[in-house]
Amino acid sequence: QTPLKKTNALIAQKGITFLNAYVPSALCCPSRASILTGKYPHNHHVVNNTLEGNCSSKLWQKIQEPYTFPALLKTMCGYQTFFAGKYLNEYGAEDAGGVGHVPPGWSFWYALEKNSKYYNYTLSVNGKARRHGENYSVDYLTDVLANMSLDFLEYKSNFEPFFMMISTPAPHSPWTAAPQYTKSFQNVSAPRNSNFNIHGKNKHWLIRQAKTPMTNSSVQFLDDAYRKRWQTLLSVDDLIEKLVKKLELNGELDNTYIFYTSDNGFHTGQFSLPIDKRQLYEFDIKVPLLVRGPGIKPNQTNKMLVANIDLGPTILDIAGYDLNKTQMDGMSLLPLLRGDKNVTWRSDFLVEYQGEGYNGSDPTCPGLGPGVTHCFPDCVCEDSYNNTYACVRTLSTSWDLQYCEFDDREVFVEVYNLTADPHQINNIAKTIDQEILEKMNYRLMMLQSCSGATCRTPGVFDPGYRFDPRLMFSNHGVRARRFSAQSL
């Protein structure tokens, strides 16, 4: 059972499904910035969903926006470009130019002001504010985005290639389903994997503070959220069907690449955390990635380690742009899409996140002390200022491993062998071979300071990897440098 039956039939079964697609940061704004720039968060400097965290800030607009892949597509490759939906969480903020700001690179711009909504929102229509109310037939955002996209396909120029980015907030909260879907999936509840509703022992203190077992009200809340998320996706499924039909009608379907993905995963009850993202585990950093298009054989799966920083390079590569001219950290997926045989591919990538939180305590949960945030339901906190970590996620023929370090007082380390422990229950940091720990620590430092081509050097388990332990102690301690807004 899935809410995306048509999407599966029209994209996955007609193309390729990437089984190991990830985001370098499991939060909307840093992740979307990685998609647009092809860069890791330490290079685009968007660290969380706030203006102070560089989300859609003046600095982002000045330094990163002119070099996003849509800007290059439009200026260097002659594409007409179309954007509709949620851009960056703080887009439209008064301090950052309001909805009058249209980022470079977009011929047609229909962006949601601020964060996810389904009704009662404002769109920037090429820089002019357009208010929407709560009448389903004219205001339900997923359908509005579908209609705008169909209009673009109807009226665009046929003499230039086109690129569309449709960014539905669904299945983001507030999880408002279309009226015809509010009764769907009544018998669906969140998956009960082996890490559901258990205490996160040997994990970072933020995970350990979750109440175990969860209260009945928490379990009901997360099951309800899971169901509502699925309901909102039924409208996304409709949108995809309409677009594919329109492309077919226009005679453009066989000549168009279609990518379907998300900006982060989500947890519902794993390690007794009711609902959110921002953690380092698979359930938050792993995303779907389906692609169909010219030269892609149907019904394929691919196990290579891919990340959202690869989307920009891939699309520019399809457009024929020389990737050596960009500063992107990602790699083009085009050889994998075409099924090239002798592809040298990465065996690891970086995950990094900078925790949110402020000095005051959460007013709804005064007993929790300062520095925590997003404490809901039952005062379980999903983030804190020292929930700041970086990980190397490794996938090679011999290892399926995640190594993480927290930038906090205890320099907490988490290591998981996902071959033996796919649900990341046992932190093996204290028992794993010391040499592997040292190599992973060194690799983490390299990735945290990488840029462009240096982000694509061989990983710890590649034959080409070189490890010189002396380098670990030469110019800094074993600690990797902090990636923070202060270093901008």
Side-chain angles (χ1 to χ4, degrees):
Q1 200 172 344
T2 164
L4 293 165
K5 287 200 168 92
K6 303 169 191 172
T7 304
N8 196 35
L10 294 168
I11 306 180
Q13 287 169 24
K14 295 281 195 281
I16 188 166
T17 300
F18 286 92
L19 300 174
N20 293 301
Y22 289 88
V23 294
S25 193
L27 190 60
C28 338
C29 208
S31 187
R32 286 159 187 265
S34 284
I35 291 172
L36 290 161
T37 59
K39 294 178 183 177
Y40 282 123
H42 69 264
N43 288 329
H44 61 59
H45 301 299
V46 177
V47 294
N48 55 37
N49 284 349
T50 62
L51 270 179
E52 301 72 48
N54 205 26
C55 181
S56 216
S57 67
K58 282 269 170 51
L59 191 71
W60 153 266
Q61 291 171 17
K62 187 173 144 205
I63 295 176
Q64 302 298 339
E65 267 185 353
Y67 306 102
T68 60
F69 80 84
L72 295 173
L73 274 181
K74 185 168 184 266
T75 54
M76 311 306 275
C77 310
Y79 272 64
Q80 48 193 328
T81 56
F82 168 93
F83 182 88
K86 175 178 168 178
Y87 180 58
L88 300 175
N89 300 51
E90 286 292 333
Y91 171 75
E94 283 308 308
D95 296 353
V99 293
H101 170 69
V102 177
W106 300 103
S107 330
F108 301 91
W109 177 253
Y110 303 94
L112 181 65
E113 178 191 29
K114 300 280 185 91
N115 203 355
S116 308
K117 286 183 177 175
Y118 295 78
Y119 294 109
N120 297 313
Y121 53 87
T122 298
L123 290 177
S124 168
V125 177
N126 300 317
K128 301 221 165 23
R130 182 190 290 169
R131 195 78 200 114
H132 277 263
E134 51 191 52
N135 175 342
Y136 170 70
S137 60
V138 291
D139 296 317
Y140 187 67
L141 183 62
T142 311
D143 295 352
V144 169
L145 299 180
N147 294 337
M148 288 170 165
S149 305
L150 296 173
D151 282 351
F152 169 73
L153 288 174
E154 180 69 30
Y155 298 115
K156 69 178 172 57
S157 150
N158 288 330
F159 302 106
E160 298 168 309
F162 70 93
F163 168 73
M164 305 174 73
M165 188 167 185
I166 304 157
S167 178
T168 67
H172 197 288
S173 63
W175 314 304
T176 315
Q180 68 271 29
Y181 294 137
T182 52
K183 299 279 185 284
S184 305
F185 305 122
Q186 289 299 325
N187 58 344
V188 166
S189 51
R192 301 315 202 236
N193 289 334
S194 53
N195 56 8
F196 180 82
N197 202 7
I198 63 167
H199 181 60
K201 63 179 193 311
N202 301 327
K203 289 182 165 45
H204 190 239
W205 72 266
L206 185 69
I207 310 298
R208 298 196 306 265
Q209 57 87 36
K211 298 178 175 67
T212 313
M214 292 181 285
T215 61
N216 290 348
S217 57
S218 272
V219 174
Q220 202 175 340
F221 181 79
L222 67 87
D223 277 337
D224 199 36
Y226 192 84
R227 198 161 31 248
K228 287 177 176 165
R229 287 162 63 80
W230 271 32
Q231 291 167 357
T232 66
L233 285 171
L234 290 169
S235 297
V236 176
D237 209 34
D238 293 340
L239 174 152
I240 284 163
E241 182 184 44
K242 289 173 196 163
L243 280 175
V244 171
K245 279 188 171 159
K246 181 69 178 165
L247 287 167
E248 196 163 26
L249 199 66
N250 288 359
E252 295 174 321
L253 182 58
D254 293 341
N255 197 27
T256 303
Y257 287 92
I258 305 175
F259 292 76
Y260 177 91
T261 190
S262 174
D263 54 356
N264 48 254
F266 203 69
H267 54 258
T268 40
Q270 290 92 338
F271 305 126
S272 302
L273 296 169
I275 57 158
D276 200 41
K277 51 253 182 174
R278 337 164 182 257
Q279 309 309 343
L280 53 86
Y281 308 102
E282 293 286 286
F283 43 75
D284 284 0
I285 61 173
K286 201 166 193 177
V287 291
L289 176 59
L290 317 172
V291 194
R292 70 170 284 174
I296 303 177
K297 294 192 181 69
N299 244 328
Q300 293 186 75
T301 55
N302 184 294
K303 289 184 174 163
M304 295 296 194
L305 198 52
V306 301
N308 69 4
I309 53 172
D310 300 334
L311 294 169
T314 304
I315 291 162
L316 289 172
D317 199 10
I318 288 168
Y321 188 71
D322 178 2
L323 296 179
N324 294 325
K325 293 183 179 163
T326 73
Q327 297 295 305
M328 294 183 175
D329 303 333
M331 303 167 70
S332 169
L333 302 173
L334 198 52
L336 302 183
L337 297 177
R338 289 188 178 140
D340 294 0
K341 287 288 168 274
N342 294 332
V343 185
T344 311
W345 201 252
R346 69 161 74 85
S347 64
D348 64 10
F349 78 100
L350 177 68
V351 182
E352 48 189 357
Y353 178 64
Q354 183 169 318
E356 286 183 62
Y358 49 92
N359 289 338
S361 57
D362 190 307
T364 51
C365 304
L368 294 174
V372 291
T373 179
H374 296 79
C375 302
F376 63 92
D378 290 324
C379 289
V380 174
C381 300
E382 297 282 356
D383 207 2
S384 68
Y385 66 92
N386 73 354
N387 181 36
T388 296
Y389 58 79
C391 306
V392 182
R393 179 73 181 87
T394 292
L395 189 61
S396 66
T397 43
S398 49
W399 284 94
D400 188 351
L401 191 71
Q402 187 175 12
Y403 169 88
C404 302
E405 287 181 18
F406 280 84
D407 195 359
D408 61 8
R409 265 192 234 120
E410 50 181 341
V411 192
F412 197 78
V413 175
E414 293 187 30
V415 183
Y416 298 99
N417 172 1
L418 284 100
T419 312
D421 177 24
H423 295 129
Q424 295 169 297
I425 292 165
N426 301 309
N427 176 9
I428 56 169
K430 296 216 169 25
T431 54
I432 194 168
D433 181 37
Q434 189 61 31
E435 191 191 356
I436 292 181
L437 279 181
E438 283 175 12
K439 282 184 174 175
M440 295 307 271
N441 170 275
Y442 174 59
R443 180 67 180 155
L444 182 61
M445 288 192 294
M446 286 174 62
L447 285 173
Q448 276 188 276
S449 53
C450 78
S451 174
T454 56
C455 298
R456 305 189 287 271
T457 54
V460 170
F461 299 106
D462 286 0
Y465 179 74
R466 296 282 170 269
F467 174 57
D468 181 353
R470 288 170 309 186
L471 293 173
M472 292 174 60
F473 304 102
S474 56
N475 54 359
H476 37 46
V478 180
R479 286 299 304 128
R481 65 183 185 82
R482 295 178 77 134
F483 52 96
S484 69
Q486 284 76 47
S487 64
L488 299 183

